[in-house]
Amino acid sequence: MRVLLTFIFALALSQAALANPYQVQVSTDPAVIPVGPARLIIRVSANGQPVANATVTAIAEMPGMKMGERVETATASTPPGTYVAPAAFPMEGAYRATVTVRGPQGEGTTVVSMRTGQNTAPGSGIGFMPFVAVGMLGLVGFAIWRSYRLGMRPDWRRLLTPQSLGAVALIVVILGGAIYAVNHWRRPGSMTPIE
């Protein structure tokens, strides 16, 4: 159970759009990504506070397909910490928005996956990971309930053995290494594992 909870927690962290040391949220105007011109609405914060004095650049492009897109400099908007950049989605399909922030805390870059027809309005969707987490917790709960019904009593003290704790640590290290490798060594224009 502890292994499962640690794994779910690590997966949830991996979905955050981080442009170290900044947190970045990207939506579009219009909220449903059209085929054609649109605007990227970029919200930048650091330590929970909006970052108002930053230079933000962005480009939305199809992975592996250069169609004349160029990096655009976003203009500051309201509320503070909000930046707007023009973008084009010339054909239907998957896109990557690469956002670079240069501000008081330094420079950071993040890549956000999106596709035409997707609703990017804040709170418009809860994503895929919560369903995975709920499904895994449901399976673990069912397994525990079923073992009690069959008269089998698990030995919970075994979860705290060095072998169990080592397995949890190994999963966290492997997942962290994979996330780091994808974010730092992926070739520009290549797809992410999720794509």
Side-chain angles (χ1 to χ4, degrees):
M1 182 72 166
R2 179 171 283 197
V3 174
L4 178 66
L5 291 175
T6 303
F7 183 64
I8 290 170
F9 179 71
L11 280 177
L13 286 180
S14 73
Q15 299 304 309
L18 294 175
N20 286 330
Y22 305 101
Q23 293 80 45
V24 176
Q25 293 178 328
V26 180
S27 57
T28 59
D29 178 27
V32 176
I33 300 175
V35 174
R39 298 188 311 158
L40 297 177
I41 311 299
I42 304 160
R43 291 173 183 83
V44 181
S45 60
N47 302 318
Q49 299 298 318
V51 177
N53 299 319
T55 301
V56 178
T57 59
I59 180 172
E61 58 188 347
M62 294 188 97
M65 289 183 66
K66 299 292 184 188
M67 293 186 287
E69 304 93 341
R70 64 175 191 253
V71 175
E72 301 283 353
T73 301
T75 56
S77 184
T78 54
T82 303
Y83 301 85
V84 179
F89 301 91
M91 59 189 294
E92 191 172 330
Y95 286 81
R96 293 183 325 142
T98 303
V99 178
T100 301
V101 180
R102 294 177 191 88
Q105 285 86 2
E107 180 176 332
T109 300
T110 189
V111 177
V112 178
S113 297
M114 50 182 58
R115 67 182 308 109
T116 51
Q118 175 185 351
N119 188 348
T120 63
S124 62
I126 59 173
F128 177 69
M129 288 315 300
F131 294 110
V132 173
V134 168
M136 292 175 106
L137 286 175
L139 285 173
V140 168
F142 176 75
I144 292 171
W145 173 80
R146 186 73 179 142
S147 15
Y148 273 100
R149 293 275 301 181
L150 293 174
M152 296 183 283
R153 301 290 184 256
D155 184 6
W156 298 109
R157 290 173 293 166
R158 288 187 145 182
L159 291 177
L160 298 176
T161 63
Q163 292 86 357
S164 297
L165 296 176
V168 171
L170 182 63
I171 288 172
V172 170
V173 167
I174 290 172
L175 184 61
I179 292 168
Y180 180 84
V182 168
N183 288 337
H184 291 87
W185 295 325
R186 183 165 44 96
R187 221 176 49 239
S190 64
M191 293 186 178
T192 66
I194 293 174
E195 291 167 336

